[in-house]
Every structure is written in C-alpha cells, then in structure tokens.
Amino acid sequence: MSEVGSGAGGAGGAAGVDGGDAARRSLRVALLDYGAGNVRSVRNALAAAAGSVAEVDVAVADVASAEDLAGADAVVFPGVGSFGSAMAALESRGLVGPLKAYLASGKPFFGICLGMQTLFEGSEESPGVAGLGVIPGMVRRFDVADAALSVPHIGWNAVRAVPKDDSPLAALAPGTRVYFVHSFCAVPDGGNAEWVAATTDYGAPFVSAVQRGRVVATQFHPEKSGAAGIGVLAEFLRMAARAAAGLP
C-alpha cells in the first residue's frame, strides 16, 4: 500500500482515544481507488477531516492489493462510474473476496455513492451483475412522477439521520443539506431496515446512508458537502481510531 497522503490531528488538547494522554497512534486508512475516476477530492476531504482529529495521525494510502485491505485500520471506498464497471474492476483486481472478508471482519469501512450501492445484492443499472451482497435488496432507478424533479438527482438535499449507536452521521443536525449526484437509489424496506442510517426525499424517500456496526456508507458525497461532510468523515476517523485502539 503506497502512501499518497497523510493528515495529522490538529492541536487543541483533545484527549487520546483512551481518554488519557497516551502517545498518539498512527491510523492507516486505505483508499480504494479502482481506476474509474479521480479520487483527489476524497483524499483532500480525508486530510481536512484528519486535521480535526487530535487522537491519531492519519495516513491515507491507495489500495494496491488484497494485503493492503487486510492491513488497513479503515477502508474508504469512493465508488464512481456504473455499478457493473465498479464490480468488474474489483473482480479484475482480485478484490471482491478480500473486500467481502474485510466487511465481515467488523473493521471500519466508509463507502461513498456507488461505494454504498455496491454493498447491495445488485442494481437495475447492471442487470445480472452481483454486488457485494452485504445488504439485502436491489438498487433501483429513481421512479419520479413529479415532472419538476429530474433524474439524475443532482444537488443539495436534506437528510434525516436515524439514531444509531456510535454513528458518524450524528454529526449531521436534523435537516442538514448535503450533495448528491446519482440516478439509482435504494428504497427503505423491511429487508434493509436494520441498515438504514438516514433517508432523503426525492419524489419519495430513499436511503441516503447505511450503517451496521462500523460499516458505514453514504449515497451523498461528503467530500462535496462542505463542513457537514467533513464532520461526518472526522467522526468516522474517530470511530476508526477507537477500533484500532481496541476500544468500543
């Protein structure tokens, strides 16, 4: 895993992850860039978020192999492109199995946009292509009856976070507006209810974030959502720091 950037926690006297003055730790964050687009904005957002996390020194590096996933303290998957091309790229790099194993390990994971959609069993965007299958159900194209609403859904919209323990989304005040760019979405239902961490309205409610344990993902782009998005990423890094320290 070749390091491409790092961020140091900012000053301000925050206690370490164990609540004391223990020596600062290094947090290894693997950025899953599978070649489908520019992830510079995500890398920059992680650096900005790391600047407010005084507990650890955050080192962000690209994933180059399955071993990089296994050795990471946290993984960030900023998916771009189509569902089928993303899964094909993961398969060609031998990362589908290792990524499933990582997700099953309980270690911190943050998916963004398509990085959230690939957690589902499949998508109408790419019929017959299996997703990672962590979350039950399919991702579907927006079915918008209101002529005033166009597809893709592009721009700022409000999220309603669902209360969960130790959730990075707790950083979002009710009604916070974040940035979306997508034509496909997951619809909240009984199959994915335990995963739903936030919903947003666009003609009808859709799933704008998921979380179970330390696996977190957002349909919106935190790296394009200003201070609110940086706050979510900072809370995720704090979660990852606690996990790396063996804390709940």
Side-chain angles (χ1 to χ4, degrees):
M1 185 161 61
S2 60
E3 187 171 314
V4 294
S6 64
V17 293
D18 59 359
D21 295 322
R24 291 165 62 83
R25 298 176 175 86
S26 177
L27 185 72
R28 298 164 298 173
V29 179
L31 185 61
L32 210 171
D33 178 6
Y34 56 91
N38 186 357
V39 297
R40 180 181 299 175
S41 60
V42 175
R43 191 175 291 119
N44 290 342
L46 286 168
S52 67
V53 180
E55 296 93 327
V56 290
D57 291 316
V58 179
V60 180
D62 288 337
V63 171
S65 68
E67 289 73 21
D68 292 339
L69 287 176
D73 295 314
V75 170
V76 176
F77 181 11
V80 293
S82 72
F83 187 96
S85 65
M87 292 307 303
L90 292 176
E91 187 68 51
S92 69
R93 288 163 171 76
L95 292 175
V96 172
L99 186 53
K100 287 182 177 180
Y102 180 92
L103 289 163
S105 74
K107 294 173 72 175
F109 170 93
F110 198 104
I112 298 172
C113 194
L114 190 61
M116 181 186 108
Q117 294 183 8
T118 58
L119 295 176
F120 286 81
E121 294 173 308
S123 172
E124 288 183 347
E125 184 177 21
S126 303
V129 176
L132 295 170
V134 176
I135 305 175
M138 298 288 291
V139 175
R140 305 194 182 280
R141 183 173 176 82
F142 272 111
D143 183 11
V144 177
D146 188 342
L149 301 177
S150 61
V151 177
H153 171 217
I154 300 177
W156 297 84
N157 206 339
V159 294
R160 293 183 300 274
V162 175
K164 285 182 175 285
D165 293 337
D166 194 23
S167 176
L169 297 166
L172 298 177
T176 298
R177 294 172 66 83
V178 291
Y179 195 81
F180 294 88
V181 183
H182 60 125
S183 298
F184 295 81
C185 66
V187 177
D189 60 29
N192 59 37
E194 67 173 320
W195 279 91
V196 175
T199 59
T200 294
D201 291 330
Y202 195 68
F206 68 89
V207 179
S208 48
V210 296
Q211 180 181 359
R212 191 171 72 178
R214 295 184 175 119
V215 175
V216 184
T218 61
Q219 182 61 68
F220 63 87
H221 288 265
E223 79 281 9
K224 297 179 180 180
S225 297
I230 298 300
V232 170
L233 291 175
E235 289 303 318
F236 172 74
L237 293 176
R238 291 187 179 98
M239 170 197 285
R242 291 191 296 273
L247 300 173

